[in-house]
Amino acid sequence: MDDSDHALIKAIGNGDHLAFERLVQRYQHRVLNFIFNHTGDRHTAEDLAQEVFMRVYRASSDFEPRGKVSTWIFKIAHNLCLNEAKRFMRSERLHRTLHAQGIGAGGYVSSQGVERHEYERDLMHALEGFPDNQRAALLLRVNEGLSYAEISRVLSVSVSSVQSLIFRARTRLRQIWGKQ
Amino acid sequence: MSAYLDGELDAESSLAVASHIEQCATCRGNLAGLQSIDALIQGLPKIEVSKGFSRRVVARAKEWDGLVLGNRSETSAFASLLQLFEDLLDALVKDKVPVTHTLDEFRDFPPLSMGCIYFQIMGQSPRGQ
């Protein structure tokens, strides 16, 4: 059986659950950690990762075979991370309002569910402060090994923008680290 | 420098940067700095996928298939029921309403109905008056 990503997507489009499970197993670790590095929360990352694969499943018959499956999956994951960030900002505003009114509700704690060393917490904290596109471009390059062209498709920006995003992210991190 | 590190420069530019780095201690330091940042990011601990994750996702997919198929069969059942109802209605009214495809069909309409008024405006009368 052809085990390539494209063959699996085609089989999934025909309702093959075994092919779907194989694709999930192939990407689950990368997708989960990509989302986790955005959200800093294990449970949210797992929920969103499930949603990524469900979207892949539902849209598999519409997949354009010219593109790479991995790029498509990371694009879905990135879009879900953006939605989650917006949802979090809304709830954060609500929490702050409730807190100001003495109704309670604690703030968001970074990296929930995972023990982290100090430098890792600092790094995560620094990354959280980056614009979404900068953080995503850097993580897709450094951790996932995507090329600039692939990242440009994930983020829907030009290749030169990707180059600039990654350069700025690295420079900024270096500045932050240089001060420590 | 960042694009050089990622192997995204064309061969000529890459060669030019490489030969410059060999001679320039500042740029060598910059490159090493960028590499150490990458190493820090790669060194972030990874979380493990919880047990049974792929099985749970597949179960959700099967559930979704069930919903879609269920909706399709419900739609199809509703369409069949609607067709049956229309056929029944046709059979009931077939003998009572004359289908002449002429203005005679308006014979029993009230004089002030829209149909009659229309034909009066058009200079015809469904009642043959």
Side-chain angles (χ1 to χ4, degrees):
Chain A
M1 182 193 165
D2 185 358
D3 205 25
S4 69
D5 284 356
H6 281 101
L8 290 181
I9 287 290
K10 197 175 171 192
I12 294 166
N14 293 325
D16 185 340
H17 292 133
L18 209 64
F20 182 50
E21 188 164 10
R22 199 168 274 186
L23 189 84
V24 172
Q25 284 168 349
R26 187 173 291 174
Y27 282 98
Q28 58 188 9
H29 192 255
R30 290 172 69 188
V31 168
L32 183 72
N33 278 287
F34 174 71
I35 298 173
F36 177 67
N37 282 332
H38 272 78
T39 62
D41 182 82
R42 169 188 264 288
H43 301 295
T44 308
E46 191 150 320
D47 286 349
L48 289 182
Q50 271 204 31
E51 189 53 35
V52 169
F53 290 115
M54 281 309 294
R55 290 191 184 196
V56 167
Y57 183 77
R58 290 196 289 258
S60 53
S61 49
D62 301 326
F63 176 70
E64 182 58 61
R66 277 178 303 168
K68 269 182 91 174
V69 173
S70 57
T71 309
W72 181 48
I73 292 176
F74 279 113
K75 190 178 176 73
I76 296 172
H78 176 64
N79 287 340
L80 283 173
C81 285
L82 290 182
N83 291 345
E84 175 60 21
K86 282 180 200 156
R87 191 201 63 75
F88 175 71
M89 290 306 285
R90 280 197 299 272
S91 76
E92 181 79 337
R93 274 200 296 273
L94 178 67
H95 279 213
R96 273 202 297 267
T97 311
L98 292 174
H99 197 69
Q101 291 170 1
I103 304 175
Y108 180 74
V109 181
S110 220
S111 309
Q112 287 171 348
V114 170
E115 286 290 320
R116 286 199 175 281
H117 298 293
E118 199 175 339
Y119 98 86
E120 290 157 358
R121 274 200 302 272
D122 290 346
L123 184 57
M124 285 295 282
H125 186 68
L127 283 171
E128 276 170 23
F130 281 20
D132 287 313
N133 269 6
Q134 244 181 54
R135 183 174 55 233
L138 187 67
L139 291 173
L140 286 169
R141 175 61 222 161
V142 177
N143 280 352
E144 304 306 329
L146 266 62
S147 69
Y148 285 8
E150 287 165 349
I151 297 170
S152 80
R153 283 193 284 278
V154 171
L155 304 181
S156 303
V157 297
S158 67
V159 173
S160 57
S161 298
V162 171
Q163 183 171 335
S164 157
L165 285 168
I166 293 176
F167 171 74
R168 271 185 267 149
R170 277 183 175 135
T171 308
R172 204 165 154 187
L173 269 182
R174 228 190 132 192
Q175 283 166 353
I176 295 168
W177 236 245
K179 286 175 191 166
Q180 293 193 343
Chain B
M1 191 66 78
S2 180
Y4 170 76
L5 178 64
D6 291 330
E8 292 278 346
L9 294 181
D10 59 63
E12 195 182 338
S13 310
S14 184
L15 210 63
V17 174
S19 67
H20 173 76
I21 285 171
E22 270 182 31
Q23 296 156 9
C24 176
T26 312
C27 287
R28 265 203 308 280
N30 280 339
L31 184 64
L34 294 180
Q35 283 169 329
S36 68
I37 290 297
D38 282 11
L40 280 173
I41 294 168
Q42 285 163 346
L44 283 174
K46 305 279 184 279
I47 55 170
E48 288 306 315
V49 177
S50 65
K51 207 176 165 191
F53 176 82
S54 61
R55 275 204 308 278
R56 284 197 297 280
V57 180
V58 172
R60 262 186 76 181
K62 285 179 179 170
E63 202 176 299
W64 187 77
D65 282 348
L67 282 173
V68 172
L69 290 175
N71 282 342
R72 273 186 202 147
S73 62
E74 272 172 30
T75 311
S76 156
F78 182 70
S80 305
L81 197 67
L82 201 66
Q83 187 60 49
L84 186 71
F85 185 69
E86 278 177 13
D87 291 346
L88 195 64
L89 198 67
D90 280 352
L92 283 173
V93 297
K94 200 172 184 178
D95 300 329
K96 294 180 182 169
V97 180
V99 181
T100 61
H101 301 291
T102 67
L103 293 178
D104 289 344
E105 287 173 34
F106 292 91
R107 190 175 300 280
D108 296 332
F109 274 46
L112 290 177
S113 69
M114 287 302 288
C116 280
I117 291 168
Y118 173 76
F119 284 111
Q120 279 166 18
I121 291 168
M122 299 300 288
Q124 297 177 48
S125 168
R127 291 165 194 277
Q129 290 159 5

